[in-house]
Amino acid sequence: MFRSRAKTEKAPTDQVTADLSKQPRDPQAPKGRPTPKRSEAQTQRRRANSGAPLDRKAAVKRQREARRADLARQREALASGDERYLPVRDKGPVRRFVRDYVDSRFCVAEWFLPLAVIILILSVIQVQNIQSISLLLWMGVIILIVIDSIGLSIRLKKQLRERFPDTPKRGAVAYGLMRTLQMRRLRLPKPQVKRGERP
């Protein structure tokens, strides 16, 4: 109560100076590491906050696992027709309609590969009549495929104009024609409609 004020005020400052004297550091002494640039410091802070691994191997491993998971989802979607995980080339209502339109019809082009194998076997046989028949068959198959493809593309364009007047349809007809060249059971995404069933 009767203590002098000067002594009580000196006590805390004495403690602070004692604490500072325990860890003396020369202000000119180097830190032992370079000061990072602001952009580097911000990048490190963002990485730490986002939970991204700082180790390069861990980042590559994480990317590889994510890619595998995406591919597995895409394979399942191609088998089931799930629109959410389909590849970009197969997404959208226009592409879905084109697939259904092609799958609902019989196309000559889908039998191109089996017929080509048969014609090739016939052309190898060293009999003049059989070789000439195989050549005629080859010409006939090509002509039929061209006629069928032209007819399909005309009908498909008309349907697309009617059903999707304001939607971009670029590449849709070519997508449908490429689908006709695959056998029905080998098509991906799997057909969702039966033959004769109109989409």
Side-chain angles (χ1 to χ4, degrees):
M1 186 170 150
F2 294 101
R3 272 192 249 165
S4 68
R5 233 167 153 191
K7 285 182 182 176
T8 54
E9 284 177 3
K10 274 185 184 176
T13 54
D14 289 345
Q15 287 175 357
V16 171
T17 52
D19 290 341
L20 289 174
S21 64
K22 286 179 189 174
Q23 298 174 354
R25 185 177 176 277
D26 183 12
Q28 301 299 324
K31 288 185 291 188
R33 61 183 170 79
T35 304
K37 291 181 182 175
R38 178 177 286 181
S39 59
E40 290 172 4
Q42 286 174 345
T43 307
Q44 285 176 354
R45 268 200 303 276
R46 273 193 220 111
R47 273 193 196 151
N49 293 339
S50 67
L54 295 173
D55 185 20
R56 188 168 175 237
K57 284 185 181 177
V60 169
K61 188 178 178 185
R62 182 188 260 181
Q63 282 179 342
R64 197 179 302 130
E65 286 170 2
R67 201 177 308 121
R68 277 189 197 138
D70 287 343
L71 288 172
R73 271 200 300 265
Q74 276 187 8
R75 274 195 298 273
E76 287 171 19
L78 287 169
S80 65
D82 187 358
E83 283 279 333
R84 291 173 299 166
Y85 302 116
L86 284 175
V88 179
R89 70 183 170 89
D90 298 315
K91 275 187 181 175
V94 173
R95 297 295 168 110
R96 183 175 179 83
F97 174 76
V98 170
R99 286 197 302 273
D100 291 346
Y101 190 85
V102 168
D103 294 337
S104 66
R105 283 162 172 69
F106 172 80
C107 300
V108 180
E110 69 182 274
W111 297 103
F112 173 73
L113 283 175
L115 287 171
V117 170
I118 292 166
I119 292 167
L120 187 66
I121 290 167
L122 288 174
S123 66
V124 171
I125 297 169
Q126 297 294 324
V127 178
Q128 187 65 35
N129 289 338
I130 293 175
Q131 285 186 342
S132 58
I133 288 169
S134 70
L135 185 63
L136 286 171
L137 274 172
W138 186 250
M139 300 261 302
V141 166
I142 300 252
I143 289 166
L144 282 172
I145 288 172
V146 168
I147 292 168
D148 188 40
S149 298
I150 290 169
L152 179 75
S153 61
I154 290 167
R155 290 192 303 271
L156 187 56
K157 276 180 188 174
K158 185 182 174 187
Q159 288 286 326
L160 287 170
R161 273 197 301 271
E162 288 174 9
R163 292 192 184 222
F164 306 99
D166 301 326
T167 313
K169 299 172 277 291
R170 188 178 175 187
V173 175
Y175 175 75
L177 291 175
M178 288 302 294
R179 193 166 174 84
T180 62
L181 288 169
Q182 301 163 344
M183 292 183 74
R184 185 181 163 84
R185 66 177 62 181
L186 301 176
R187 290 175 185 167
L188 288 174
K190 296 278 184 192
Q192 304 292 313
V193 294
K194 295 175 182 175
R195 282 195 203 275
E197 183 184 335
R198 293 291 177 258

